[in-house]
Amino acid sequence: MASAEVASILASLESSSSQSQSKPTGYSELLDKVVKFEPAEISPNLVAFVDSILGDSLGIVAARPLLNSFVEALGKIRSSDVKITAGQHALHALHSKVVSFEEQDTSLREILADAYQEQEDYLEAAKALQGIQLESSQRRVSDDSKVRTWIRICRLYLEEDDTMSAESYLNRAKSLLYKVEDRELNLMFQLSQARILDSRRRFLDASQVYHAFSFSPVLDEGERTRALSSAIICAVLAPAGPQRSRALAKLYKDERALQVEEFGILEKMFLDRLLSPAEVSKFADKLSPHQLAPTADGSTVLAKAVIEHNLLGASRLYNNIGVAELGTLLGLDAEKAEEYAARMLEQGRLTGRIDQIDGVIFFDGREGSGERTIAVQNNQMASRALRRWDSNVQGLAEEVEKVSSILQSEEPFNASTNLVC
């Protein structure tokens, strides 16, 4: 509730019938006085101030500059609680008149978003920005402003791990990005895109974007190093196979990779060396929560990536290995080890075959093509069947010709009479 002094001044201003500049001047002087109050007293007095200037005592033309002064004063207040309380009330008061005060509504929402973000309430910050009228007939909004707002909303949703909402706003920004020349905005878009790919576990795509991001001259050295580190982490978490091998090779050949902590595991994976549980545990400490989340089969993305890598490493060490022994090597039971091997063989990420009768896996020692092999195997089987059919038909024809020759030589009269050529 407003203080008695403020309430009295507002009542006096509202009842005044003066048409001169004294009324707006009185509001301005009161606002200057209110913002100097103690933080606990500012909010209720600002609320009363807004109610008064948006009331019936002032017209839109007179209220607009006073509301501008209110927004400017609110932005300078340090307390985020005061900004949220007074700002939310002002937005509510403007709701029915927003068409006449779109500029002020936008500024209020940006101040509110900053205040919520300062309190790490990213969802409310995003909601505040969502209310901004970007497609308006009352004012012209530049493409840069639209993209900046959408990308900010996207990043706020990413802080809440809401990738679906984040991606919807990123797609809006993407539709206008070609018109934006601001390098900072383009970088923010790339980073948001990488984080969404990362969250959706499209690690190879995320690694490529992070790696490209790490070369930006606009960023400082620390940010470039963090981007490179993220690129390595995503490459390590990607499913084992030829595509990941190419990504690892590209990162391993980057001279800057020696500077990041993840270089050790990058080197081992690139060289197809087996990873120990201690190394995996140390690497897991650096991962984000979504990168450690369980998958459909109960294992984590990291655990699955390490198992597939060690299986690929085993294929380089052995020509063949028992399923039980492979399970021991991978830290799995024999059935699970065979399941991993079968899936990688089927997906073309590993070459070889499984003898299920003897419980032995044979490796070809070649790198997988990365293409699914079922269709290829079916085509090969069909081709072999056709070749066998052709061979059988040819053999039968040769036998018939042989019998015909014998008949002609031993029974020339009957052969010439009865044989049909």
Side-chain angles (χ1 to χ4, degrees):
M1 185 175 179
S3 66
E5 180 186 3
V6 172
S8 174
I9 295 173
L10 289 173
S12 174
L13 288 169
E14 289 171 7
S15 61
S16 172
S17 59
S18 173
Q19 300 299 320
S20 65
Q21 290 295 320
S22 60
K23 201 169 186 177
T25 302
Y27 276 110
S28 298
E29 290 174 353
L30 178 60
L31 179 61
D32 292 338
K33 185 184 293 185
V34 167
V35 295
K36 295 176 182 177
F37 288 175
E38 292 297 322
E41 300 176 0
I42 294 178
S43 294
N45 288 300
L46 284 178
V47 166
F49 180 87
V50 168
D51 286 341
S52 181
I53 64 174
L54 293 178
D56 297 331
S57 63
L58 285 174
I60 292 175
V61 175
R64 189 174 285 125
L66 290 174
L67 190 57
N68 282 334
S69 299
F70 167 81
V71 171
E72 185 179 350
L74 186 66
K76 293 178 180 178
I77 294 173
R78 293 184 179 181
S79 171
S80 57
D81 290 328
V82 171
K83 289 179 179 178
I84 291 171
T85 303
Q88 282 285 21
H89 185 85
L91 285 180
H92 181 73
L94 280 172
H95 182 69
S96 60
K97 307 176 181 180
V98 70
V99 175
S100 303
F101 299 99
E102 284 191 0
E103 289 283 356
Q104 293 77 14
D105 180 80
T106 299
S107 300
L108 277 172
R109 290 183 178 280
E110 289 174 348
I111 291 170
L112 267 178
D114 291 338
Y116 280 124
Q117 195 167 348
E118 188 178 333
Q119 295 185 352
E120 298 184 358
D121 191 346
Y122 302 112
L123 186 58
E124 288 300 323
K127 289 179 179 178
L129 292 174
Q130 282 177 312
I132 295 176
Q133 298 293 328
L134 295 176
E135 303 295 339
S136 172
S137 59
Q138 304 297 318
R139 64 192 184 104
R140 183 182 179 279
V141 183
S142 68
D143 292 329
D144 282 25
S145 297
K146 292 178 183 178
V147 171
R148 190 180 299 277
T149 302
W150 288 330
I151 289 179
R152 186 178 179 188
I153 295 172
C154 168
R155 297 180 72 181
L156 289 168
Y157 275 121
L158 284 174
E159 293 296 334
E160 291 289 326
D161 289 327
D162 186 351
T163 53
M164 187 174 294
S165 298
E167 189 169 18
S168 69
Y169 280 93
L170 190 74
N171 288 336
R172 294 188 193 186
K174 189 176 183 179
S175 65
L176 289 179
L177 195 67
Y178 70 96
K179 297 181 180 179
V180 175
E181 296 181 0
D182 190 322
R183 296 182 68 181
E184 182 184 353
L185 272 182
N186 279 276
L187 287 174
M188 289 167 64
F189 176 86
Q190 289 179 22
L191 181 58
S192 299
Q193 185 179 44
R195 290 184 62 184
I196 288 174
L197 292 170
D198 186 355
S199 298
R200 289 191 174 278
R201 297 177 181 173
R202 292 171 57 184
F203 293 116
L204 277 176
D205 294 333
S207 178
Q208 292 175 359
V209 178
Y210 276 129
H211 195 211
F213 189 73
S214 71
F215 287 104
S216 174
V218 178
L219 304 176
D220 60 39
E221 189 63 30
E223 289 175 325
R224 288 199 294 269
T225 302
R226 282 192 293 273
L228 179 61
S229 177
S230 297
I232 293 173
I233 288 173
C234 287
V236 167
L237 294 174
Q243 289 185 325
R244 191 190 70 161
S245 296
R246 288 191 287 271
L248 291 173
K250 189 175 181 180
L251 291 165
Y252 183 73
K253 294 174 183 176
D254 192 325
E255 296 178 355
R256 303 170 300 160
L258 290 166
Q259 304 169 9
V260 300
E261 294 181 21
E262 294 79 12
F263 179 75
I265 196 168
L266 169 66
E267 183 176 38
K268 281 204 163 187
M269 284 203 157
F270 172 68
L271 298 175
D272 289 327
R273 296 173 183 170
L274 299 180
L275 295 171
S276 67
E279 291 171 318
V280 175
S281 177
K282 183 180 178 182
F283 178 73
D285 293 338
K286 305 168 187 175
L287 300 183
S288 302
H290 73 272
Q291 294 170 333
L292 293 171
T295 56
D297 61 1
S299 63
T300 63
V301 175
L302 175 61
K304 187 176 289 188
V306 170
I307 289 169
E308 291 181 349
H309 166 76
N310 283 344
L311 180 52
L312 201 59
S315 72
R316 302 287 191 266
L317 292 173
Y318 304 100
N319 291 325
N320 58 74
I321 187 172
V323 173
E325 288 75 13
L326 179 63
T328 303
L329 184 66
L330 300 178
L332 303 170
D333 57 50
E335 184 179 354
K336 201 71 175 175
E338 183 179 344
E339 183 182 321
Y340 269 94
R343 183 166 57 247
M344 291 183 68
L345 286 167
E346 184 264 328
Q347 292 173 348
R349 295 187 286 139
L350 188 67
T351 58
R353 59 188 175 86
I354 300 176
D355 186 335
Q356 291 184 308
I357 297 176
D358 293 334
V360 178
I361 300 177
F362 296 88
F363 300 114
D364 288 352
R366 295 180 289 108
E367 186 175 11
S369 64
E371 298 177 353
R372 300 182 71 87
T373 57
I374 286 182
V376 176
Q377 290 172 351
N378 288 343
N379 289 337
Q380 290 175 343
M381 291 172 64
S383 178
R384 285 196 295 269
L386 285 173
R387 285 198 295 272
R388 283 197 300 270
W389 175 268
D390 289 344
S391 177
N392 291 338
V393 170
Q394 182 179 357
L396 178 62
E398 289 174 352
E399 290 297 325
V400 170
E401 186 177 357
K402 188 184 296 182
V403 171
S404 175
S405 298
I406 293 172
L407 286 174
Q408 287 177 351
S409 62
E410 295 185 357
E411 298 287 342
F413 178 78
N414 288 334
S416 61
T417 304
N418 298 309
L419 285 180
V420 179
C421 299

